[in-house]
């Protein structure tokens, strides 16, 4: 009988306590996740009602505003473009972040606001000139106006009339006094405003005030005026768009530039004024021309088919994961469900506060984040299985493997987040919506991994997974562990089975071919694009708008087909309702009103419509110069920030530069395919390109993260090129699986989705393939070539040669010099490159550290 060991017993108790503490923490994390998921489901159910939809999905209000020049003078193109940008800013402030604002003819602005049906509400905000002025009452030259202001006759009591014709006053008042410009002297104007806020007029009041903070120049002028008026309680008149808002008496000097506008405003009225003042004043005034309710550009049939195809694609993805990862595939499926619930919950919450509207660009962001969530899950599973192959127990691998996998995913997520936030903050139009949905999805992905994926695997590992390795898909890794660990060697002719790479592929050995092919392809595309150009859609170059009225039971798909037969296959078709009359609003790329009229006549003849029942109008691009410039600026800034972030995170700017080079390669390839096929580049294409940006970055960072991890050791016994090749092989299965799982729903959409979704799906398909390829065949070779020139790695290359050494069962054949030294001691050595020797396990290997 052995004597008891008090120290061993104490250590065992301490380990049990630690294990119990960790288990409790994991259980609590899963409880928190469950509560968040339940809350999210409550928030987004039903999603079609709880999540705001953009114009291209649900339709909305179409408003045409006509500019009025002073004394009938023509309005300049510069003033119209400035007005378009200001109106777009105001519409976005209303919460309609996916609105369309485009110039139409030479003096009109077309505004399409998703989900909005109140014309007056829209015009009350977007059509105001927004010219704010403060003037001393004693500066007014019109005595009658001055008297009305002094006696408070600048507003009237509103009234209602009942069914019997009796009029009754209401509690609301209407501002009625108009003043002519030039009959007073402004003290400060809206140009002097720094900040605008809304608050209650007083603690006891139910009315609201608009509070302004003036800049230094405005504050100085206002302080001087109030100092002079305070002794006599003189009045300062507040004028907006020529209408007197209020005329408060000055009680004392106001030196700090804090000014409050009161006028019996409701909260909505105060917020509307805030929006107008924050966006700045329009250079010209506008009047209401027409409005109509429009249907979605996608068409409900196309949208339904797209959702159905995407759903089938996701189901196929889940099936693939279950077949490849067995029981671990269930964990991935559950993680995807948790991610989806959290994501939809956040979108529904933002929609509730009017901060989000889902458009096709937003859907692109969602597609990307779903792919990234699947990617992070697959990456974690692969690292978990890899740690088991390296000889760790299932319990130990659930800690180290999951931790390494999640850290890699978070690094890749954060790089993409830098790009997403830059696009959201600096870009405009649909690019902004893409940036928002992508950023939110990344945050949900990180939360899902930390709160659900990691705790679940750690709870299941010591019991369920360890006891049933076959069901959970880790038995092949367990069986391979003795061979990877060096405890066993393969017998002659014996093959090691398992879903992992046994002998590295010589990927970087072919680097010259990969890089040469890339240069040739990019050069060829540059020539093709230079000769043939790129076919930009109506959103970029403008075109014509055709409005059909009283169209009967014709569907949107029939109209789209009719325009295709008439020579306009890329026409953008929307349903409309004007004064209760159904119709269609169609935009074509033709810039000739005569050609558009001929096409409209052909379509009208097809359906038997009256040829006098439509109007043709020349319109400007939705994506005007300012939108394109802001998007390009956001893209360039995001590239710079990506290089900066990667340089700081990995302490190597070369990683950032080569990652951006690979990304540009992918975008050039997509544009080249579009130019060759003659496909039209639309905002849907841009959304897909931005999605490709995210995929390409994610893939590249995952590879670079593994290279960085493998090269940390000072005892590396191979060249940088060989270790980079091994790192690519280590993540190759993960790269292929994530590309396959992302491609399945996109290809399904390309083959079976509606016409309006095919452009998006085409660009996505090309981008996913090139993104996976460039991370392995462009970014990594460039980085390895660049790094090899550093002194430390140049010495390794001189020592071990220029050839790429290939790992076998995670071990590297000894270098030539080491082999020579070993042979002097009488050891049997097999030269590198002898494949038979490597496969029989007779080659001396370097054991990888754990």
């Amino acid at each position: 009988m052995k004597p008891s060991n008090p120290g061993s017993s104490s250590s065992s108790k301490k380990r049990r306590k630690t294990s119990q503490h960790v288990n409790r923490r994991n259980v609590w994390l899963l409880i928190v996740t469950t509560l968040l998921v339940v809350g999210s489901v409550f928030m987004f159910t039903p999603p079609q009602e709880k999540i705001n939809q953009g114009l291209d999905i649900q339709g909305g209000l179409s408003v045409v505003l006509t500019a009025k020049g002073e004394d009938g003078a023509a309005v300049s193109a510069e003033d119209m473009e400035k007005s378009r940008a200001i109106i777009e800013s105001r519409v976005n402030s209303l919460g309609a972040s996916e609105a369309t604002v485009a110039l139409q003819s030479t003096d009109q602005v077309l505004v399409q606001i998703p989900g909005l049906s109140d014309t007056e509400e829209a015009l009350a905000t977007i059509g105001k000139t927004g010219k704010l002025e403060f003037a001393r009452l004693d500066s007014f030259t019109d005595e009658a106006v001055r008297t009305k202001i002094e006696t408070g006759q600048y507003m009237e009591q509103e009234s209602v009339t009942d069914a019997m014709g009796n009029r009754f006053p209401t509690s609301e008042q209407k501002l009625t006094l108009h003043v002519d410009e030039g009959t007073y002297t402004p003290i400060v104007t809206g140009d002097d405003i720094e900040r605008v806020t809304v608050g209650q007029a007083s603690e006891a009041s139910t009315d609201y005030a608009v509070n302004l903070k003036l800049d230094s120049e405005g504050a100085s002028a206002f302080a001087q005026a109030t100092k002079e008026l305070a002794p006599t309680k003189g009045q300062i008149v507040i004028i907006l768009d020529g209408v007197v808002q209020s005329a408060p008496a000055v009680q004392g000097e106001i030196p700090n530039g804090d000014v409050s506008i009161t006028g019996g405003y409701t909260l909505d009225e105060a917020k509307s004024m805030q929006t107008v003042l924050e966006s700045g004043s329009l250079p010209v005034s506008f009047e209401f021309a027409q409005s109509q309710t429009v249907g979605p550009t996608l068409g409900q049939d196309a949208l339904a088919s797209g959702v159905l195809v995407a759903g089938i694609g996701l189901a196929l993805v889940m099936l693939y994961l279950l077949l490849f990862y067995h029981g671990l595939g269930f964990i991935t499926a559950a993680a995807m469900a948790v991610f989806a619930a959290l994501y939809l919950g956040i979108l529904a919450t933002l929609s509730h506060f009017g901060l989000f509207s889902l458009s096709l660009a937003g859907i692109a962001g969602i597609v990307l984040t779903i792919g990234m969530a699947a990617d992070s899950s697959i990456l974690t599973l692969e690292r978990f299985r890899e740690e088991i192959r390296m000889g760790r127990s299932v319990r130990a691998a659930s800690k180290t493997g999951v931790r390494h996998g999640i850290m890699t995913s978070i690094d890749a997520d954060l790089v993409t987040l830098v790009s997403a936030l830059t696009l959201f903050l600096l870009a405009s139009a649909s690019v902004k919506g893409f940036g928002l949905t992508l950023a939110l999805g990344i945050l949900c992905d990180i939360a899902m991994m930390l709160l659900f994926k990691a705790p679940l695997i750690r709870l299941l590992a010591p019991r369920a997974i360890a006891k049933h390795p076959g069901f959970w898909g880790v038995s092949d890794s367990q069986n391979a562990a003795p061979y990877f660990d060096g405890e066993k060697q393969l017998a002659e002719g014996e093959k090691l089975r398992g879903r992992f790479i046994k002998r590295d592929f010589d990927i970087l050995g072919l680097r010259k071919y990969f890089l040469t092919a890339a240069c040739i392809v990019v050069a060829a595309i540059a020539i093709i694009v230079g000769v043939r150009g790129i076919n930009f859609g109506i959103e970029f170059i403008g075109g014509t708008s055709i409005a059909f009225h009283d169209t009967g039971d014709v569907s949107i798909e029939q109209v789209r087909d009719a325009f295709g037969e008439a020579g306009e296959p890329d026409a953008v078709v929307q349903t409309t309702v004007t004064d209760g009359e159904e119709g269609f609003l169609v935009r074509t790329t033709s810039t000739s009103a005569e050609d558009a009229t001929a096409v409209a006549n052909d379509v009208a003849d097809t359906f038997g419509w009256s040829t006098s029942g439509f109007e043709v109008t020349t319109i400007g691009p939705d994506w005007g110069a300012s939108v394109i410039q802001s998007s390009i600026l956001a893209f360039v800034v995001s590239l710079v920030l990506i290089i900066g972030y990667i340089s700081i995170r990995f302490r190597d700017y070369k990683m950032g530069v080569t990652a951006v080079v690979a990304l540009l390669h992918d975008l050039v390839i997509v544009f080249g395919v579009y130019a060759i096929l003659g496909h039209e580049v639309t905002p849907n294409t841009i959304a897909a390109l931005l999605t490709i940006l995210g995929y390409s970055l994610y893939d590249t960072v995952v590879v670079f993260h593994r290279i960085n991890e493998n090269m940390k050791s000072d005892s590396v016994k191979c060249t940088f090129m060989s270790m980079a090749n091994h790192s690519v092989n280590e993540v190759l299965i993960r790269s292929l699986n994530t590309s396959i799982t992302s491609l399945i729903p996109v290809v399904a959409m390309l083959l079976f989705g509606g016409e309006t979704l095919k452009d998006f799906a085409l660009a996505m398909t090309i981008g996913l393939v090139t993104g996976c390829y460039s991370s392995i065949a462009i970014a990594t070779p460039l980085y390895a070539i660049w790094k090899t020139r550093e002194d430390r790695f140049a010495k390794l290359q001189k020592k071990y040669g220029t050839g790429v050494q290939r790992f076998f069962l995670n071990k590297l054949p000894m270098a030539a010099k080491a082999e020579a030294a070993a042979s002097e001691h009488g050891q049997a050595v097999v030269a590198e490159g002898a494949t038979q020797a490597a496969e029989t396990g007779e080659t001396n290997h370097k054991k990888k550290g754990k």
Side-chain angles (χ1 to χ4, degrees):
M1 190 174 188
K2 295 182 180 180
S4 62
N5 188 336
S8 175
S9 176
S10 175
S11 177
S12 178
K13 289 181 180 179
K14 186 178 294 185
R15 283 197 299 270
R16 282 199 299 271
K17 287 183 178 179
T18 302
S19 177
Q20 290 172 358
H21 172 73
V22 171
N23 285 340
R24 282 198 299 269
R25 184 179 63 187
N26 289 330
V27 169
W28 275 111
L29 288 174
L30 292 179
I31 291 173
V32 169
T33 303
T34 303
L35 294 176
L36 289 174
V37 168
V38 171
S40 297
V41 171
F42 174 78
M43 284 300 301
F44 73 75
T45 306
Q48 66 273 18
E49 296 179 8
K50 295 294 185 70
I51 298 178
N52 292 340
Q53 300 171 4
L55 190 76
D56 52 2
I57 295 178
Q58 71 162 342
L61 178 69
S62 177
V63 178
V64 176
L65 301 174
T66 301
K68 297 186 299 182
E70 292 186 7
D71 302 323
V75 182
S76 69
E78 182 181 354
D79 283 346
M80 287 300 297
E81 174 57 29
K82 183 178 179 182
S83 298
R84 189 206 62 77
I86 291 173
I87 290 173
E88 181 177 61
S89 174
R90 292 180 181 180
V91 171
N92 290 342
S93 298
L94 293 174
S97 56
E98 301 296 342
T100 298
V101 181
L103 297 178
Q104 182 167 281
S105 67
T106 58
D107 62 348
Q108 290 184 329
V109 176
L110 171 66
V111 183
Q112 293 185 321
I113 308 175
L116 190 64
S117 58
D118 189 338
T119 305
E120 294 184 2
E121 179 187 342
L123 293 176
T125 301
I126 64 178
K128 281 186 178 178
T129 305
K131 186 175 183 180
L132 179 69
E133 296 170 300
F134 294 81
R136 294 170 56 143
L137 179 59
D138 55 19
S139 73
F140 280 77
T141 57
D142 190 322
E143 292 292 337
V145 169
R146 189 190 302 179
T147 301
K148 286 184 177 181
I149 295 175
E150 285 178 336
T151 56
Q153 299 179 47
Y154 51 83
M155 61 177 65
E156 293 180 357
Q157 193 80 25
E158 290 193 346
S159 61
V160 294
T161 305
D162 63 12
M164 304 298 294
N166 300 313
R167 295 174 62 85
F168 298 95
T170 67
S171 59
E172 297 181 359
Q173 292 182 316
K174 182 179 181 181
L175 301 169
T176 57
L177 183 57
H178 290 259
V179 293
D180 296 328
E181 192 173 355
T183 61
Y184 53 89
T185 303
I187 304 169
V188 294
T189 67
D191 294 333
D192 299 308
I193 297 175
E194 280 188 346
R195 187 174 66 253
V196 186
T197 59
V198 171
Q200 286 184 298
S202 64
E203 291 184 4
S205 175
T206 57
D207 298 334
Y208 285 83
V210 180
N211 304 310
L212 312 178
K213 179 68 175 179
L214 302 178
D215 60 19
S216 58
E217 185 177 345
S220 176
F222 202 78
Q224 181 63 32
T226 54
K227 182 178 180 181
E228 294 174 0
L229 292 172
T232 60
K233 301 295 187 292
Q235 291 176 269
I236 289 183
V237 185
I238 303 171
I239 307 158
L240 179 64
D241 291 344
V243 178
V244 174
Q245 303 293 309
S246 61
V250 178
Q251 304 299 320
E253 180 183 353
I254 302 176
N256 53 9
D258 292 326
V259 184
S260 182
I261 305 175
T262 58
Y265 303 124
T266 64
L267 179 59
D268 288 340
E269 290 170 341
K271 286 184 175 180
S272 177
M273 183 182 293
Q274 178 188 24
T275 297
V276 170
L277 297 179
E278 283 181 332
S279 63
S281 61
L282 294 170
V284 294
S285 59
F286 285 84
E287 64 181 9
F288 168 78
Q290 69 178 53
S291 72
Q292 54 191 342
T293 303
V294 299
T297 54
L298 290 177
Q300 290 301 317
D301 293 340
L303 180 62
S305 67
V307 171
L308 177 62
V309 169
I312 294 173
L314 288 175
L316 292 175
V317 167
M318 294 302 178
L319 179 61
Y320 175 80
L321 292 174
L322 291 175
L323 290 175
F324 192 91
Y325 290 108
H326 302 301
L328 292 179
F330 287 109
I331 296 179
T332 300
M336 294 297 294
V338 169
F339 166 81
L342 296 178
Y343 197 12
L344 292 175
I346 290 180
L347 296 184
T349 302
L350 292 177
S351 296
H352 176 73
F353 292 102
L355 300 175
F356 178 78
S357 291
L358 181 63
S359 68
L360 185 61
I363 292 176
I366 292 174
V367 169
L368 173 55
T369 51
I370 289 174
M372 291 173 64
D375 199 334
S376 62
S377 290
I378 291 172
L379 194 153
T380 304
L381 296 183
E382 283 293 335
R383 190 58 185 258
F384 175 53
R385 284 165 44 82
E386 180 184 338
E387 294 276 337
I388 296 174
R389 287 197 301 275
M390 295 302 104
R392 293 189 180 275
S393 67
V394 172
R395 179 196 291 269
S398 71
K399 298 176 182 178
T400 58
V402 170
R403 183 177 70 251
H404 286 305
I406 288 178
M407 289 304 299
T408 303
S409 296
I410 290 178
D411 274 329
D413 276 338
L414 291 179
V415 172
T416 310
L417 183 62
V418 169
S419 175
L421 291 178
T422 305
L423 294 173
F424 173 69
L425 295 174
L426 297 182
S428 56
S430 58
V431 177
K432 197 178 191 75
F434 171 85
L436 175 62
T437 53
L438 178 55
L440 294 174
I442 291 171
L443 296 177
C444 288
D445 183 34
I446 294 174
M448 177 270 291
M449 287 188 292
L450 297 177
L451 297 178
F452 179 76
K453 188 71 178 287
L456 184 61
I457 292 179
R458 287 169 182 159
L459 281 175
L460 292 175
R463 296 178 178 83
I465 299 178
K467 292 179 179 178
H468 306 283
F471 173 80
W472 292 99
V474 298
S475 57
D476 61 338
S477 293
Q478 286 183 325
N479 295 334
Y483 298 96
F484 277 84
D485 208 28
E487 295 177 5
K488 290 185 179 181
Q489 293 184 346
L490 290 174
E492 186 174 353
E494 181 183 359
K495 291 185 178 181
L496 187 62
R497 300 185 180 278
R499 299 179 302 282
F500 47 83
I501 294 175
K502 288 78 177 177
R503 181 177 179 83
D504 286 354
F505 295 103
D506 190 13
I507 296 173
L508 293 195
L510 302 173
R511 60 189 180 278
K512 293 182 180 179
Y513 300 101
F514 289 141
L515 296 177
T516 301
C519 292
I520 293 173
V521 169
V522 169
I525 287 174
I527 294 172
I528 293 171
V529 171
V531 173
R532 297 185 59 176
I534 297 176
N535 183 19
F536 285 103
I538 186 174
E539 294 85 357
F540 296 95
I541 62 176
T544 51
S545 172
I546 308 170
F548 293 95
H549 307 290
D550 194 18
T551 53
D553 297 330
V554 178
S555 71
I556 192 172
E557 294 296 339
Q558 288 176 306
V559 175
R560 192 176 286 122
D561 292 340
F563 269 90
E565 294 173 2
E568 289 287 352
D570 298 313
V572 179
V573 184
Q574 294 172 279
T575 59
T576 66
V577 178
T578 307
D579 297 329
E581 189 178 81
E582 293 184 354
F584 291 97
L585 183 66
V586 184
R587 293 186 293 168
T588 70
T589 53
S590 173
T591 55
S592 167
E594 291 77 12
D595 292 345
T597 301
V599 171
N601 278 321
D602 289 344
V603 173
D605 290 341
T606 300
F607 300 110
W609 297 336
S610 170
T611 53
S612 61
F614 63 82
E615 300 93 34
V616 176
T617 309
T618 304
I619 64 173
D622 293 352
W623 283 54
S626 62
V627 178
I628 295 175
Q629 288 170 4
S630 66
S631 300
I632 293 175
L633 173 64
F635 178 69
V636 172
V637 170
S638 69
L639 295 185
V640 173
L641 291 178
I642 287 165
I643 294 175
Y645 175 81
I646 294 177
S647 302
I648 295 171
R649 172 64 182 85
F650 297 105
R651 299 179 182 179
D652 190 351
Y653 72 92
K654 297 181 179 70
M655 281 190 178
V657 173
T658 50
V660 168
V661 170
L663 169 63
L664 295 176
H665 163 271
D666 300 340
L667 299 182
V668 168
I669 294 293
V670 176
F671 268 115
V673 173
Y674 265 70
I676 293 171
L677 297 179
H679 276 257
E680 190 178 63
V681 175
T682 67
N684 299 349
T685 312
I686 301 302
L689 289 174
L690 294 171
T691 309
I692 294 162
L693 180 152
Y695 270 115
S696 181
L697 283 176
Y698 197 99
D699 264 350
T700 303
V701 171
V702 168
V703 176
F704 283 175
H705 193 285
R706 181 55 69 96
I707 295 174
N708 184 68
E709 182 181 332
N710 287 337
M711 292 304 296
K712 280 182 178 179
S713 173
D714 294 330
S715 59
V716 174
K717 303 298 183 184
C718 65
T719 63
F720 189 95
M721 191 70 67
S722 295
M723 186 58 77
N725 186 71
H726 180 53
S727 301
V728 169
N729 277 271
E730 284 185 306
V731 299
L732 186 59
I733 296 294
R734 165 253 154 215
S735 296
L736 293 176
N737 276 341
T738 53
S739 296
I740 290 171
T741 54
S742 299
L743 269 174
I744 289 174
V746 173
V747 171
M749 192 181 298
L750 176 64
L751 297 176
F752 306 110
E755 287 296 324
T756 50
L757 295 174
K758 284 189 176 180
D759 277 339
F760 172 74
L762 173 64
M764 280 287 295
T765 302
I766 301 167
L768 285 171
V769 174
T770 56
C772 178
Y773 170 82
S774 68
S775 299
I776 296 170
I778 306 295
T780 305
L782 285 176
Y783 179 59
I785 291 171
W786 200 352
K787 290 291 288 185
T788 300
R789 296 181 180 180
E790 295 181 7
D791 290 343
R792 175 194 170 192
F793 302 121
K795 291 178 182 178
L796 289 176
Q797 180 167 288
K798 186 176 180 180
K799 181 178 181 180
Y800 296 112
T802 57
V804 176
Q805 295 175 291
R806 297 160 63 189
F807 286 69
F808 176 69
L809 298 185
N810 207 50
K811 301 180 189 66
L812 187 66
M814 294 177 66
K817 290 183 179 179
E819 289 181 327
S823 62
E824 290 177 4
H825 289 82
Q827 297 181 8
V829 178
V830 180
E832 178 194 352
T835 304
Q836 178 64 34
E839 290 182 350
T840 57
E842 296 173 358
T843 303
N844 291 301
H845 300 295
K846 173 186 174 294
K847 183 177 179 180
K848 182 180 177 182
K850 298 177 186 177

